Amino acid sequence: MTHLIVKNGFVYDPMNHVDGEKMDIAVANGKIVEKVEEKKAESIEASGMIVMPGGVDIHTHIAGAEVNSGRLLRPEDHFRDVEAKTAITRSGVGYSVPSTFTTGYRYSRMGYTTIMNPSMPPLEARHTHEELNDTPMVDKASYPLLGDWWFTLEYLRDGKIKECAAHVAWIMVATKGYAIKIVNPGGLEAWGFGQNVRSIDDPVPHFNLTPKEIIRGLCKVNKLLHMPHTIHVHTNNLGKAGNYATALDTMKCVENLASGDKPIIHITHCQFSAYKGSDWRTLKSGAEEIAKYVNHHDHVTLDLGQVVFTNTTTMTADGPFQHGLYQLTSNKWVNHDVETETTGGIVPFRYRRKSYVHAIQWSIGLELALMVKNPWRIYLTTDHPNAAPFITYPQIISWLMSRKAREKTMLRINKRARHKSLLPSIEREYNLGEIATVTRAGQAKALDLKQKGHLGIGADADIAIYNMNPELVDPSKKPKTVRKAFENTAYTIKNGEIVAKDAKIAKPVNGKTFWVNPQLSSPTEVADDMKRRFREYWTIEYENYSIPESYLATSTPISVKAEV
Amino acid sequence: MPVVSKVTCPVCGSLCDDIEVVVKNNVITDVKNACAVGAAKFLDYSNRKNVKPLVRKNGKLVEVSLSEAVRKSAKILADAVYPIMYGWSSTSCEAIRVGLELAEEVGAVIDNTTTVCHGPSILSVKDVGIASSTLGQLRHRADLIIYWGCNPWSAHPRHVERYTAFSDGRFQKSTWRAYISRLGGALSKKRLRRAINLILRRDAFATPEVTHEIPYTMFQKKRKMVLIDIRRTHSADAADYFLQVEPNKDYELLQAFRMLVADEELEVDQVAGVPVKTLEEIADVMIGCELGIIFFGQGLTMTEGKLRNIDSAISLVRDLNQRTKFLIMPMRGHFNVTGANVVSTWQTGYPFAVDFSQGFPRYNPGETSVIDILCREETDAGLVIASDPVAHFPKKAAQNLVRKPLIVIDPQTTPTSLMADVVFSPAYVGIEAEGTAYRMDHVPLPLKKIVNPPSPCLSEAEILRRILQEVRRLRSKPN
Amino acid sequence: MPKLKVLLQTVRTIDQGTGKEHGKLSEEYQESVAICQVDPEDMKLIGMREDGNVRITTNFGSVVLRLVKSQAAPHSKIVFIPYGPWASLIMNPETHGTGMPSLKGIPAEIEPALKEKVLSVPDLLKEYYKRE
């Protein structure tokens, strides 16, 4: 393997408390090392450049049944954005729902090296992994949807936490999943008959338990299994006016399960759950209340789901929410229910600057990012492609770093929304260290990916080098320069190899697929129970449900010792 | 005797995965759980005519080595300006992935059998979307099951038993018993009618008049099945109600239902040969169900209106979702036609008719679809895999296909393979080779290798991989 | 000769499905696919009994097939032919910009052809797809 040395860059490595120091980073055999013999190493001159760990995205819809239906649904999205084949790369298309190869290349060119696919219907996990095998350049993982799985509902209804945990462990291995994903708990089961739940205390039809019991139950399960990530929650009532109260209820309902300062719940794309008001006309920001709660409680982490004004595609497992969006827009609508497990929906959507609601949504995301004080607790995402495609991250970075950039956009948004926005009162501007935290270090920590998100000795040599000199450029005053710098790296290094250089892919590589392998004390008991009940619940056979490890191009299991 | 169980059946889009296959000395001797078509496939697959690759020399197909056939194929594709690569729906996703890479490499148009089957359905999904689900959702919950323009009894023989009316779910039970008693009733009614006819000296075996009266069971609060078609197929016998529509009038019927669901009045006596009163009653059943599903087949996609029929059917379902829960699903034919769409979409953004001639994926059915390209005589070479266009394309298209150099990858001898310049006989995927396939509802399933293929038959994926390597070798050589 | 104007539908049948698995050059295949299913009332109109041959002609071609009495009658003036090389000879290749040829609901004429033969697959290929 090659030895590399990245010389003279301004290094931002918040996990190791390095904040813009000029230093060299040595790489050997795919890892960060103390030093390498300079003569034998390939040298990368990074003077005047920013050096960060490779980007980590905690929540981005890039693969699987839902994403692929989105691709199918949107030829008009592809016609205007194509990538031609080169001698070393595959062709592709797509602005908001790019094809798999294009997804990998674009993330890599932006300096991202690890991305998490947050929405995997267990029954269709094989599909997700097939697509991940065709998504080059990045390490990845997927979260199976477990909040409305009949086994979850039945065991939690009966108060059988340990049995529930054992079954969750089984499905984590069967589907090669990484974290417990909960979407509109209870609401998806209700959507099977076209209904929904209205609050975390509204009982799930036919199952006699509440969303609160599901959230608390799976939170306990998560602890019993010692999962690396917390439960990853898309709240009830997402996208509805007044739902900030539901988001607060969701965070509060697990408060007494926390111990120490360790987070136990992640509220994803929080912008979509931070609305005050009683309808769209009276919509207001609930960011202040949510930020206040998060600032006073250690058990919660958030990601943004930041809106950018553009034409994109919404896709979630939240079937009833997507149906609501279809009713609102009369746009084309895909619904996909998955037996005994979950639902899904897709609606194309355009966020318009001049729309009051959309402008408020835009404002809420930034308010959250700026009002939550600790950058380790809130992460930059667009819930790609729901609030915007991931290629808009550089623009969001420029908003976070520059009040001037925010004000410039404010001038062009809906007037009423501008008057209501809390942004003019916020002075805060992120520095580069904080940007490194919300785009990689914090996310890696939340995911407990110990080799990722930092440049300490022994970390994976995933490095992003951006061509911007922090001594010469004031990000506050030069948002355009910031945006341009973060759009394409000067170098992206993956596993110790230069894989992208000057906005071009230099070397196509396959990434790893992480999955969690909880070690149970008696795994056969669960397997027997599953086998017995399988045919009643699903329309495929037990033997054909589990995905063999050989199915993953580069399988990377993470073993954890469970307490059951 | 060794039994291989939980085998996925590589025949139709129902992709039943509970087949048991008895194997003795690398020969399949018995099959359990499969339908007639599935059993025929497992028991008769092995009567292939040739195992060695063939190349046409002096007008005759003669046996050659694998490497010669690969070289010849690569040369045909590398020399072509606008080759087409067609078929794909009866092979594995693994083969399709390599096929797409090969198509990209040679700048081909790659199209799958969707183009002559549910192509209009997909065009329509792109226009309006689709509200659908996996089949188990319907097994558990659907209390109104409508098959429209399709014939599951013939084309998807176990569909009703595994996924809909005759399957047991959590919230809905099988209507099998009711069907048996109804069958008995129908039989005695038939005898009675014949007796009356004899007494009245009418033609004893005259076909019955079409009746539009809706049986009372349709108004009960329990699971029911409706068949809508232009003729009374065997599938109609399993249904609670059969609605006969005049040919090419499906669009009118669908639009009439849409009006009724929207509480509008129809100011005519009948639509598509059906009295409006009957339609009103069925519309009420649709609105009143807990979860309804429309399965549709080529009776909608191929008849007059094509994609507009599907637009209308999907829109009907969209409308019904304002009143209750309603879903819709195309009855996909070949066992992995869904997989062909799925893989093509994740790699290129488009499900079929993908044109790589400009170095990136382009898609415009009607222009980049294989029938149109053939009818315009634009192509100069072809590769056909696991499909038989000479037997199934309109004459003009097939004639223009066989006029140019043609490579066929198919274990069976077919009209198309008889016309080819190079023929590969691959291992049968799902019997002699493993892989992945997608059920009609997008659920992926593994295909098993049950017996060894005869030497030198390779998997389709491997044959394509070798052709791709050879093409790259040819291209890297300085001219 | 009595001719009858009909609408032609190509269809899938379970026999065609199993016949296909037996191989496309097999007798089973020809037996199950080279057929035309006609309503008994229409059979009377052209003076035909089961198993005689009929000629079906559309704007796109003409083919001789074995007549079979329909089990799904009544469907007056509609005839059904399973997909296969025989049906393909008389299909409409027009896709109307959709990629999909018109395979159902095609206007056609049927007439008795008692003295004519149904082409076997090899003969059919020789006649229509002969390579240059």
Side-chain angles (χ1 to χ4, degrees):
Chain A
M1 286 284 276
T2 44
H3 290 194
L4 274 180
I5 181 157
V6 180
K7 297 188 67 131
N8 303 320
F10 296 98
V11 176
Y12 292 87
D13 179 11
M15 199 125 30
N16 296 305
H17 311 287
V18 179
D19 192 30
E21 279 171 52
K22 209 177 216 184
M23 58 196 277
D24 296 349
I25 303 285
V27 172
N29 303 322
K31 299 278 179 194
I32 309 283
V33 293
E34 179 95 48
K35 59 177 170 189
V36 290
E37 220 180 301
E38 278 204 36
K39 278 183 205 155
K40 287 189 185 164
E42 186 182 345
S43 173
I44 295 173
E45 184 50 52
S47 55
M49 296 187 188
I50 294 168
V51 177
M52 287 186 182
V56 179
D57 198 337
I58 199 167
H59 190 108
T60 173
H61 298 259
I62 51 141
E66 196 175 85
V67 178
N68 215 35
S69 300
R71 293 187 188 108
L72 179 84
L73 190 65
R74 302 224 56 197
E76 70 279 11
D77 180 79
H78 310 335
F79 292 150
R80 60 180 177 147
D81 190 3
V82 300
E83 295 228 0
K85 167 188 185 319
T86 71
I88 54 169
T89 61
R90 301 285 303 273
S91 64
V93 296
Y95 172 75
S96 70
V97 247
S99 52
T100 52
F101 302 112
T102 299
T103 300
Y105 300 146
R106 287 186 179 172
Y107 259 113
S108 186
R109 293 198 295 240
M110 234 166 56
Y112 275 71
T113 49
T114 305
I115 60 181
M116 296 287 163
N117 185 54
S119 180
M120 174 163 76
L123 180 61
E124 296 169 338
R126 200 177 282 269
H127 180 171
T128 306
H129 287 292
E130 278 204 286
E131 286 196 21
L132 291 181
N133 287 346
D134 267 351
T135 308
M137 315 306 291
V138 284
D139 293 342
K140 50 244 161 181
S142 275
Y143 314 152
L145 292 150
L146 299 174
D148 291 78
W149 183 31
W150 285 356
F151 282 85
T152 302
L153 301 183
E154 286 166 354
Y155 281 120
L156 294 182
R157 174 195 63 198
D158 300 340
K160 297 181 173 170
I161 296 285
K162 285 196 169 172
E163 284 82 352
C164 186
H167 283 75
V168 166
W170 177 86
I171 211 162
M172 214 48 85
V173 176
T175 64
K176 304 290 176 277
Y178 189 83
I180 298 173
K181 176 75 183 293
I182 306 170
V183 172
N184 184 7
L188 308 192
E189 164 52 35
W191 181 239
F193 286 120
Q195 288 150 20
N196 199 355
V197 292
R198 309 267 164 253
S199 78
I200 68 165
D201 295 310
D202 192 5
V204 184
H206 304 288
F207 282 87
N208 196 26
L209 88 166
T210 61
K212 185 199 267 177
E213 289 169 292
I214 300 173
I215 299 163
R216 280 181 62 85
L218 286 174
C219 190
K220 290 179 197 164
V221 163
N222 204 72
K223 287 174 96 180
L224 283 176
L225 295 178
H226 294 285
M227 296 293 288
H229 185 32
T230 59
I231 51 170
H232 195 98
V233 183
H234 158 139
T235 64
N236 298 109
N237 287 330
L238 183 119
K240 287 191 191 138
N243 66 6
Y244 82 104
T246 313
L248 287 174
D249 286 346
T250 306
M251 296 185 246
K252 281 178 194 161
C253 86
V254 293
E255 210 175 292
N256 66 354
L257 300 176
S259 54
D261 59 357
K262 206 171 151 21
I264 55 166
I265 187 169
H266 179 82
I267 305 291
T268 191
H269 39 71
C270 192
Q271 174 274 129
F272 287 114
S273 302
Y275 305 153
K276 250 183 5 192
S278 50
D279 55 29
W280 291 124
R281 208 177 44 82
T282 59
L283 182 78
K284 277 190 300 195
S285 168
E288 203 169 359
E289 286 79 355
I290 287 180
K292 200 169 149 198
Y293 183 86
V294 174
N295 286 337
H296 287 94
H297 296 84
D298 290 331
H299 70 285
V300 191
T301 57
L302 310 176
D303 71 83
L304 280 185
Q306 174 62 42
V307 163
V308 179
F309 301 111
T310 187
N311 187 346
T312 191
T313 310
T314 67
M315 53 178 71
T316 71
D318 196 342
F321 161 71
Q322 296 288 161
H323 179 248
L325 208 54
Y326 145 64
Q327 286 183 308
L328 195 69
T329 61
S330 298
N331 214 332
K332 27 189 187 181
W333 167 53
V334 167
N335 178 80
H336 185 65
D337 296 353
V338 179
E339 62 205 61
T340 84
E341 293 172 355
T342 182
T343 65
I346 304 162
V347 178
F349 201 85
R350 180 190 276 280
Y351 293 98
R352 296 171 193 274
R353 284 196 311 270
K354 296 295 180 195
S355 151
Y356 170 70
V357 172
H358 304 170
I360 289 283
Q361 288 181 301
W362 169 80
S363 180
I364 289 175
L366 294 174
E367 291 164 18
L368 280 169
L370 295 163
M371 288 196 284
V372 170
K373 288 181 191 149
N374 182 351
W376 291 88
R377 304 276 300 286
I378 186 157
Y379 316 120
L380 193 164
T381 68
T382 57
D383 183 16
H384 163 81
N386 281 294
F390 64 83
I391 47 175
T392 59
Y393 289 176
Q395 184 169 14
I396 299 170
I397 291 173
S398 74
W399 281 326
L400 292 176
M401 298 193 83
S402 162
R403 206 176 162 193
K404 180 180 153 195
R406 300 198 288 266
E407 276 164 3
K408 202 173 157 212
T409 306
M410 292 277 277
L411 287 176
R412 300 173 66 209
I413 65 171
N414 176 285
K415 223 188 212 167
R416 215 174 116 231
R418 196 189 313 155
H419 293 310
K420 297 247 172 148
S421 171
L422 308 177
L423 288 177
S425 65
I426 301 175
E427 307 253 330
R428 185 175 168 196
E429 289 175 334
Y430 273 48
N431 59 37
L432 283 165
E434 287 172 320
I435 290 295
T437 308
V438 299
T439 56
R440 44 263 286 162
Q443 316 213 18
K445 191 177 172 212
L447 293 161
D448 201 22
L449 285 168
K450 295 193 175 68
Q451 319 287 308
K452 304 290 182 190
H454 71 106
L455 297 172
I457 309 298
D460 286 350
D462 296 351
I463 308 169
I465 304 172
Y466 298 102
N467 196 354
M468 184 177 103
N469 188 333
E471 280 184 344
L472 301 179
V473 177
D474 178 356
S476 168
K477 298 211 174 77
K478 295 273 185 197
K480 266 197 185 147
T481 311
V482 171
R483 184 172 158 181
K484 192 135 185 37
F486 280 96
E487 268 168 8
N488 291 297
T489 57
Y491 297 90
T492 304
I493 297 165
K494 177 96 195 60
N495 259 349
E497 293 182 296
I498 298 169
V499 292
K501 192 181 166 190
D502 299 330
K504 286 205 176 70
I505 296 301
K507 184 179 181 191
V509 292
N510 274 323
K512 303 184 190 98
T513 301
F514 296 112
W515 57 281
V516 175
N517 186 7
Q519 306 292 317
L520 298 183
S521 54
S522 57
T524 48
E525 256 173 56
V526 193
D528 289 344
D529 182 49
M530 294 299 301
K531 262 182 222 168
R532 208 169 44 243
R533 292 157 69 184
F534 214 84
R535 283 189 159 188
E536 269 175 53
Y537 282 54
W538 284 282
T539 50
I540 75 172
E541 299 291 326
Y542 172 81
E543 288 77 359
N544 294 328
Y545 189 92
S546 290
I547 302 168
E549 201 178 342
S550 59
Y551 207 78
L552 278 53
T554 314
S555 168
T556 310
I558 295 172
S559 281
V560 293
K561 189 142 177 51
E563 280 174 54
V564 283
Chain B
M1 238 182 285
V3 177
V4 189
S5 61
K6 318 300 180 196
V7 173
T8 305
C9 173
V11 175
C12 81
S14 292
L15 223 56
C16 307
D17 70 330
D18 61 342
I19 313 297
E20 293 194 0
V21 181
V22 184
V23 181
K24 197 178 171 186
N25 300 328
N26 205 43
V27 173
I28 296 175
T29 57
D30 199 9
V31 183
K32 295 196 180 95
N33 295 343
C35 69
V37 189
K41 169 114 188 194
F42 281 109
L43 293 172
D44 296 332
Y45 80 93
S46 63
N47 58 8
R48 43 151 89 71
K49 286 225 155 136
N50 48 288
V51 291
K52 283 205 164 174
L54 308 172
V55 166
R56 191 171 294 274
K57 292 181 179 171
N58 303 322
K60 285 233 155 56
L61 284 168
V62 294
E63 289 190 355
V64 296
S65 69
L66 191 66
S67 56
E68 186 180 341
V70 167
R71 278 200 305 276
K72 173 89 182 163
S73 308
K75 179 133 180 47
I76 289 173
L77 291 174
D79 288 350
V81 177
Y82 197 56
I84 53 172
M85 295 170 59
Y86 175 77
W88 309 104
S89 44
S90 294
T91 182
S92 67
C93 293
E94 287 75 2
I96 298 161
R97 281 171 73 182
V98 186
L100 283 157
E101 197 170 353
L102 177 59
E104 186 188 79
E105 184 65 41
V106 300
V109 169
I110 183 164
D111 200 358
N112 55 63
T113 61
T114 304
T115 202
V116 293
C117 156
H118 273 286
S121 312
I122 288 182
L123 294 182
S124 172
V125 169
K126 285 172 183 291
D127 281 347
V128 283
I130 187 168
S132 198
S133 72
T134 65
L135 289 163
Q137 186 79 340
L138 309 168
R139 193 188 97 191
H140 288 301
R141 299 178 201 257
D143 61 340
L144 177 62
I145 296 146
I146 300 174
Y147 287 97
W148 193 319
C150 55
N151 183 0
W153 192 87
S154 286
H156 302 85
R158 295 181 72 209
H159 197 268
V160 177
E161 154 206 339
R162 275 175 64 82
Y163 308 121
T164 66
F166 296 166
S167 67
D168 263 325
R170 185 179 193 121
F171 304 105
Q172 291 295 335
K173 297 298 166 203
S174 164
T175 59
W176 173 253
R177 275 166 201 285
Y179 164 65
I180 296 291
S181 62
R182 195 166 62 233
L183 211 59
L187 219 60
S188 38
K189 230 187 253 168
K190 215 178 201 172
R191 282 199 207 103
L192 193 69
R193 201 177 58 233
R194 275 183 198 163
I196 294 171
N197 284 343
L198 276 176
I199 295 164
L200 300 178
R201 289 164 194 277
R202 288 202 295 230
D203 181 356
F205 292 94
T207 43
E209 290 287 300
V210 179
T211 158
H212 291 291
E213 199 179 317
I214 300 181
Y216 72 96
T217 52
M218 283 287 291
F219 303 104
Q220 289 176 333
K221 200 110 192 102
K222 58 172 192 142
R223 180 174 256 181
K224 47 232 159 207
M225 176 172 149
V226 175
L227 196 92
I228 303 177
D229 205 345
I230 57 169
R231 62 169 175 165
R232 199 182 168 88
T233 58
H234 282 292
S235 302
D237 294 339
D240 293 79
Y241 183 63
F242 168 62
L243 183 72
Q244 189 159 10
V245 51
E246 289 173 1
N248 288 341
K249 294 278 175 65
D250 300 273
Y251 185 82
E252 282 91 326
L253 192 59
L254 285 160
Q255 291 298 87
F257 276 132
R258 288 191 68 192
M259 287 182 71
L260 293 170
V261 167
D263 291 329
E264 287 176 48
E265 296 284 326
L266 291 177
E267 288 169 0
V268 287
D269 296 332
Q270 58 171 31
V271 177
V274 188
V276 165
K277 184 171 170 295
T278 308
L279 297 181
E280 284 169 348
E281 286 175 346
I282 294 175
D284 285 344
V285 173
M286 287 176 176
I287 293 166
C289 74
E290 285 193 61
L291 192 163
I293 170 79
I294 297 175
F295 291 103
F296 65 95
Q298 298 180 357
L300 283 191
T301 63
M302 282 184 180
T303 51
E304 200 165 299
K306 292 177 185 168
L307 72 157
R308 295 299 159 222
N309 294 336
I310 316 302
D311 276 0
S312 186
I314 295 176
S315 299
L316 170 63
V317 168
R318 279 161 67 106
D319 297 350
L320 279 161
N321 272 291
Q322 312 291 349
R323 314 284 293 263
T324 179
K325 179 88 185 245
F326 228 95
L327 304 169
I328 181 165
M329 192 186 298
M331 294 284 273
R332 306 304 303 271
H334 296 289
F335 72 88
N336 198 26
V337 64
T338 309
N341 299 147
V342 165
V343 182
S344 180
T345 304
W346 87 54
Q347 287 208 355
T348 74
Y350 308 116
F352 66 104
V354 182
D355 181 337
F356 279 110
S357 62
Q358 296 182 32
F360 57 85
R362 229 167 53 79
Y363 163 86
N364 188 18
E367 181 204 343
T368 63
S369 39
V370 74
I371 298 276
D372 301 273
I373 292 170
L374 286 171
C375 286
R376 292 195 306 263
E377 294 185 61
E378 287 176 346
T379 178
D380 54 353
L383 180 149
V384 169
I385 178 163
S387 166
D388 187 9
V390 172
H392 296 278
F393 279 4
K395 184 175 64 196
K396 186 177 171 194
Q399 282 173 336
N400 288 336
L401 175 71
V402 302
R403 220 167 263 157
K404 305 290 179 198
L406 178 64
I407 305 154
V408 171
I409 304 176
D410 198 326
Q412 285 203 29
T413 303
T414 65
T416 308
S417 75
L418 291 172
M419 299 284 108
D421 296 274
V422 187
V423 182
F424 292 92
S425 181
Y428 274 93
V429 70
I431 298 177
E432 298 170 333
E434 58 181 18
T436 309
Y438 284 70
R439 204 163 71 177
M440 62 167 70
D441 57 351
H442 291 220
V443 171
L445 282 158
L447 301 168
K448 279 204 173 96
K449 177 178 173 178
I450 307 163
V451 293
N452 291 316
S455 169
C457 299
L458 300 171
S459 73
E460 287 147 335
E462 183 56 32
I463 292 169
L464 290 162
R465 212 170 282 131
R466 291 190 185 191
I467 296 174
L468 174 61
Q469 270 170 9
E470 182 63 19
V471 166
R472 289 201 169 133
R473 201 186 62 80
L474 285 175
R475 296 220 155 161
S476 65
K477 271 203 301 202
N479 291 328
Chain C
M1 276 289 188
K3 282 188 185 179
L4 186 66
K5 283 196 191 311
V6 293
L7 277 184
L8 168 62
Q9 304 280 338
T10 50
V11 292
R12 206 175 284 149
T13 69
I14 194 160
D15 295 335
Q16 169 231 354
T18 51
K20 177 177 70 153
E21 300 304 338
H22 286 112
K24 294 214 169 144
L25 302 177
S26 68
E27 244 172 67
E28 287 97 330
Y29 185 68
Q30 175 156 354
E31 283 291 303
S32 56
V33 177
I35 59 167
C36 176
Q37 300 171 344
V38 184
D39 186 305
E41 296 296 320
D42 294 343
M43 283 166 62
K44 285 182 201 161
L45 292 179
I46 52 170
M48 289 276 300
R49 289 179 180 226
E50 198 160 15
D51 285 346
N53 289 349
V54 283
R55 175 171 284 284
I56 299 122
T57 308
T58 68
N59 285 342
F60 312 95
S62 180
V63 68
V64 175
L65 294 167
R66 184 165 64 87
L67 183 146
V68 171
K69 186 170 103 175
S70 173
Q71 302 296 315
H75 47 75
S76 169
K77 310 277 192 305
I78 308 170
V79 301
F80 295 86
I81 304 180
Y83 299 118
W86 295 275
S88 296
L89 297 178
I90 51 176
M91 288 299 104
N92 179 0
E94 176 58 53
T95 80
H96 302 106
T98 66
M100 167 72 121
S102 306
L103 305 183
K104 287 187 194 282
I106 306 160
E109 268 183 3
I110 64 168
E111 60 191 308
L114 295 169
K115 298 204 173 126
E116 294 181 78
K117 259 184 64 182
V118 177
L119 283 176
S120 69
V121 172
D123 289 345
L124 183 151
L125 292 178
K126 211 179 278 169
E127 183 156 346
Y128 291 97
Y129 302 103
K130 195 160 186 275
R131 296 179 60 97
E132 284 148 17

